[in-house]
Amino acid sequence: MGQNQGDEMATVRAPVWKWEWNLNTLVILLGFISGIAAWGMTWERLTANQQVHAENIDKLDKRVTTLEASMRLLDNHELRITGVEKQAAEAATSMRAVENTLNNLSSDMRLVREILQRLEESGRGSRARAP
C-alpha cells in the first residue's frame, strides 16, 4: 500500500496552462482601458481650459494696464482742471478788485468834474462883477 500511494503521487501530473479569455478578465481590461481613456480626455480638457483661462487673464491684464494709463491721464486732467479753476477764481477776484477801483475812480472823476464846474462858475461870476 505504501508503494501504491507513492506511485500515485508520482504519476499525478501538473496542470497544464491554458490561455483562455474569461468574461471577468475582458470586463476588467475594458474597464481599465476605459478609465485610462477617460482620464486622458479629462486631462486634455483641463489643459485646454487652462490655456483659455491664461489667454483670458492676459487680455484682462492688458485691459487693466490700459485703464491704469487712462486713470493717470484723468488724474493729470483733474490736476490741470483744478489749476484752471483756481486761476479762474483768482482772475474773478482780481476783476472785482479792478471793478471796485474803476468805480472809485469814476466817483472821484465825478467829484473832480463837479469841483471844476463850481470853480469855473465862481470864476465867471467874479469876472462879471469885476469891471
Side-chain angles (χ1 to χ4, degrees):
M1 220 168 140
Q3 187 95 357
N4 219 359
Q5 280 182 353
D7 287 339
E8 282 180 25
M9 289 284 228
T11 59
V12 175
R13 295 182 6 203
V16 177
W17 172 275
K18 272 169 76 175
W19 182 261
E20 291 181 0
W21 286 99
N22 189 349
L23 181 62
N24 287 339
T25 305
L26 289 176
V27 168
I28 288 172
L29 284 175
L30 286 176
F32 186 68
I33 290 170
S34 299
I36 290 174
W39 184 81
M41 289 171 50
T42 304
W43 183 260
E44 187 274 331
R45 282 187 179 179
L46 180 67
T47 305
N49 285 338
Q50 283 178 342
Q51 289 173 348
V52 169
H53 291 312
E55 290 171 3
N56 287 339
I57 288 172
D58 287 341
K59 287 179 186 176
L60 286 174
D61 188 36
K62 289 177 185 175
R63 288 178 66 191
V64 166
T65 303
T66 304
L67 289 174
E68 285 175 348
S70 297
M71 281 298 293
R72 285 189 205 108
L73 285 174
L74 288 176
D75 287 342
N76 191 15
H77 289 304
E78 184 178 340
L79 181 63
R80 287 181 179 178
I81 288 171
T82 304
V84 168
E85 287 174 347
K86 187 176 179 181
Q87 289 174 352
E90 290 173 0
T93 304
S94 297
M95 288 300 291
R96 280 190 216 107
V98 168
E99 187 177 316
N100 288 336
T101 303
L102 286 175
N103 286 337
N104 289 337
L105 285 174
S106 176
S107 298
D108 290 345
M109 291 293 286
R110 278 191 212 124
L111 182 62
V112 167
R113 190 179 317 140
E114 288 176 9
I115 292 171
L116 283 176
Q117 285 175 354
R118 288 182 192 163
L119 286 174
E120 285 179 1
E121 288 176 4
S122 68
R124 285 185 200 159
S126 62
R127 283 187 199 161
R129 289 187 205 157

